[in-house]
């Protein structure tokens, strides 16, 4: 007599990780960017506001190598570090 109960044929369906979770960089594709960011943090007493450019570069590398989902940099908090589109840049230089 089998004691296992089978309540249907539901199977496990994997899903992508939640936002904020991403694969490790096993091949070191973004290692240089990470090291620059970590050095900046150490040099600035771990004040991450002083290392925003390095953080942006590291996240861009991760997105380019599909180590995290592509997101607009503005959405990641780097609006002030993103170059404006050419049409907006031209409007800012006109008197």
């Amino acid at each position: 007599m089998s004691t296992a109960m089978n309540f249907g044929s539901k199977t496990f369906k994997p899903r992508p990780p939640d936002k904020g979770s991403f694969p490790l960089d096993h091949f070191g594709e973004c290692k240089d960017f990470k090291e620059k960011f970590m050095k900046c943090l150490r040099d600035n007493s771990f004040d991450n506001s002083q290392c925003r450019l390095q953080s942006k570069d590291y996240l861009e590398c991760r997105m380019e190598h599909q180590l995290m989902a592509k997101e607009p940099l503005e959405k990641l908090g780097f609006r002030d570090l993103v170059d404006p589109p050419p049409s907006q840049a031209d409007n800012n230089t006109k008197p």
Side-chain angles (χ1 to χ4, degrees), residues 30-93:
C30 297
K31 184 177 180 181
D32 292 340
F33 292 100
K34 180 189 80 168
E35 293 301 322
K36 288 176 188 173
F37 175 60
M38 294 305 295
K39 181 181 182 330
C40 179
L41 287 174
R42 285 189 297 274
D43 292 347
N44 290 286
S45 302
F46 295 92
D47 178 5
N48 63 350
S49 66
Q50 300 297 314
C51 304
R52 294 185 69 241
L53 184 59
Q54 292 83 354
S55 176
K56 177 181 100 40
D57 292 343
Y58 176 55
L59 293 175
E60 284 179 317
C61 178
R62 291 192 64 87
M63 287 187 280
E64 287 170 13
H65 290 92
Q66 285 108 30
L67 294 169
M68 65 181 281
K70 289 196 181 230
E71 294 278 349
L73 290 171
E74 295 86 352
K75 199 172 180 182
L76 296 174
F78 297 107
R79 183 179 310 262
D80 59 322
L81 298 179
V82 177
D83 294 329
S87 61
Q88 288 181 356
D90 293 340
N91 291 339
N92 291 339
T93 58

Side-chain angles (χ1 to χ4, degrees), residues 1-36:
M1 179 187 276
S2 175
T3 58
M5 298 178 154
N6 188 354
F7 293 109
S9 60
K10 290 185 180 180
T11 59
F12 174 73
K13 292 183 182 177
R15 62 182 182 90
D18 294 333
K19 188 173 183 169
S21 300
F22 43 80
L24 296 175
D25 187 4
H26 293 290
F27 300 110
E29 296 168 297
C30 297
K31 184 177 180 181
D32 292 340
F33 292 100
K34 180 189 80 168
E35 293 301 322
K36 288 176 188 173

